[in-house]
């Protein structure tokens, strides 16, 4: 089954369902990528700071080598980490991801956050009191280097992650190549309706990360509600003979939102794919 796509402003088709790899542990993600590709996923969402792009790359290589897919069948996304915002560091960070993933180009590359960290002090630099050390580099200067890498063909499309509407507009107003995609946390408890409308009006595609509200997020407090256990969601799932997870993913696709559920469990990866044979009522 082919997955529906959204069209980026560069003309490329981005599959509306992808495999997320944030928090996918070493020793599990290579197999998860293989299972996903066999299941029919063609979109893999990665980032330098997830620390697992080598394994993701190994999973991709296996499936290309055994003829399941060609590189050009896949839509591979990565992100520029905060420690590399300074213009002279951007290309090295892109090269590092390309090397780890074992590919010659990325279909989409995002600035991971709208702020940089102090350069040359590791991935998360802090002072003695434990405060994060920030860089004073402006993301507009970072963006200009990404535009050059699009010109070279190393990056097919560029976009933003975790930016708000003011910051997005700032990039639009000061760029030669406009952002093609925004990736943010988005789920029924945090539906991002205003930001989604803002992006769609400007021909920016929208990707939802943590579509299940990230129940394993490190900062969760005891007693916080679990989206997948929400009785309203369970009732809808029952009505359609689907799982709550499938309902949540279908909800996003029907809003024109690309969705990237993370899993390393083969049965869940396959189950998350089964969302194109039903339709939720308005």
């Amino acid at each position: 089954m082919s997955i529906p796509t959204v069209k980026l402003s560069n003309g490329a088709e981005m599959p509306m369902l992808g495999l997320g790899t944030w928090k996918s542990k070493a020793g599990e993600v290579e197999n998860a990528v293989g299972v996903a590709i066999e299941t029919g996923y063609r979109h893999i969402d990665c980032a330098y700071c997830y620390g697992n792009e080598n394994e993701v790359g190994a999973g991709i290589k296996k499936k290309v080598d055994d003829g399941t897919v060609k590189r050009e069948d896949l839509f591979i996304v990565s992100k520029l980490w905060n420690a590399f915002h300074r213009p002279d560091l951007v290309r090295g960070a892109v090269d590092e991801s390309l090397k780890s993933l074992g590919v010659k180009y990325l279909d989409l590359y995002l600035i991971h956050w709208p702020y940089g960290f102090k350069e040359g002090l590791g991935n998360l630099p802090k002072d003695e009191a434990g405060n994060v050390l920030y860089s004073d580099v402006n993301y507009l200067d970072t963006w200009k280097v990404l535009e050059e890498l699009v010109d070279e063909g190393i990056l097919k499309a560029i976009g933003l992650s975790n930016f708000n509407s003011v910051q997005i507009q700032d990039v639009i107003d000061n760029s030669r190549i406009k952002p093609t995609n925004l990736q943010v946390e988005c789920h029924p408890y945090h539906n991002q309706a205003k930001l989604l409308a803002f992006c769609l009006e400007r021909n920016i595609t929208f990707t939802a990360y943590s579509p299940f509200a990230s129940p394993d997020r490190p900062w969760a407090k005891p007693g916080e509600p679990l989206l997948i256990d929400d009785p309203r969601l369970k009732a809808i799932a029952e009505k359609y003979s689907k799982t709550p997870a499938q309902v949540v993913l279908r909800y996003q696709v029907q809003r024109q939102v690309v969705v990237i559920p993370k899993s390393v469990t083969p049965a869940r990866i396959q189950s998350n794919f089964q969302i194109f044979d039903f339709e939720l009522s308005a």
Side-chain angles (χ1 to χ4, degrees):
M1 183 205 312
S2 65
I3 296 175
T5 59
V6 291
K7 186 168 267 196
L8 301 184
S9 52
N10 70 344
E13 303 279 348
M14 180 179 190
M16 293 195 77
L17 177 69
L19 179 74
T21 60
W22 179 43
K23 300 195 303 283
S24 294
K25 293 182 185 71
E28 298 178 332
V29 69
E30 180 182 332
N31 183 57
V33 168
V35 170
I37 290 172
E38 281 168 11
T39 302
Y41 289 74
R42 295 296 177 262
H43 169 182
I44 315 283
D45 181 81
C46 318
Y48 168 85
C49 86
Y50 301 167
N52 57 14
E53 287 190 327
N54 273 323
E55 271 203 57
V56 172
I60 290 168
K61 185 177 188 302
K62 268 189 186 165
K63 291 293 114 191
V64 170
D65 288 352
D66 72 10
T68 305
V69 285
K70 298 188 189 76
R71 163 63 186 98
E72 51 272 27
D73 299 332
L74 298 173
F75 192 95
I76 302 173
V77 183
S78 188
K79 308 177 192 81
L80 178 73
W81 184 237
N82 310 2
F84 310 112
H85 277 211
R86 204 175 67 203
D88 62 305
L89 299 174
V90 173
R91 178 183 286 267
V94 172
D95 286 344
E96 181 78 19
S97 282
L98 290 171
K99 188 177 158 203
S100 295
L101 290 163
V103 295
K104 291 188 167 63
Y105 66 90
L106 291 163
D107 297 275
L108 176 62
Y109 195 69
L110 311 174
I111 298 183
H112 207 146
W113 292 90
Y115 47 79
F117 293 156
K118 195 111 181 85
E119 299 81 13
L121 299 171
N123 286 340
L124 187 59
K126 293 181 179 179
D127 65 15
E128 286 164 10
N131 302 307
V132 174
L133 297 169
Y134 292 97
S135 160
D136 56 6
V137 173
N138 189 311
Y139 51 72
L140 295 176
D141 295 326
T142 311
W143 187 261
K144 285 185 174 64
V145 185
L146 297 184
E147 290 179 325
E148 290 166 15
L149 296 177
V150 172
D151 295 340
E152 290 180 33
I154 296 169
L155 307 176
K156 299 297 182 190
I158 48 179
L160 307 167
S161 176
N162 300 303
F163 278 57
N164 64 32
S165 57
V166 174
Q167 294 160 337
I168 297 164
Q169 192 62 52
D170 192 23
V171 177
I172 292 170
D173 292 344
N174 294 285
S175 62
R176 180 169 55 85
I177 298 173
K178 308 303 173 203
T180 60
N181 177 265
L182 174 72
Q183 184 179 128
V184 291
E185 179 179 351
C186 181
H187 46 77
Y189 285 167
H190 186 34
N191 68 29
Q192 300 279 20
K194 279 187 183 167
L195 193 56
L196 172 60
F198 175 92
C199 286
L200 295 183
E201 277 164 19
R202 287 156 182 79
N203 197 22
I204 297 171
T205 57
F206 200 92
T207 300
Y209 73 70
S210 298
F212 307 135
S214 200
D216 57 348
R217 64 195 180 281
W219 52 88
K221 296 180 181 71
E224 283 185 341
L226 288 172
L227 175 66
I228 295 301
D229 292 342
D230 191 299
R232 294 164 295 183
L233 203 51
K234 285 182 165 172
I236 296 167
E238 220 161 276
K239 176 183 165 186
Y240 290 96
S241 304
K242 289 288 178 178
T243 66
Q246 288 167 333
V247 169
V248 165
L249 297 176
R250 180 70 206 177
Y251 156 80
Q252 296 290 16
V253 167
Q254 283 184 219
R255 304 167 79 212
Q256 288 306 295
V257 170
V258 177
V259 67
I260 46 171
K262 167 256 168 183
S263 182
V264 291
T265 311
R268 281 206 190 129
I269 291 170
Q270 289 156 353
S271 171
N272 290 342
F273 194 79
Q274 307 302 319
I275 60 168
F276 303 109
D277 58 353
F278 75 110
E279 190 150 336
L280 297 168
S281 69

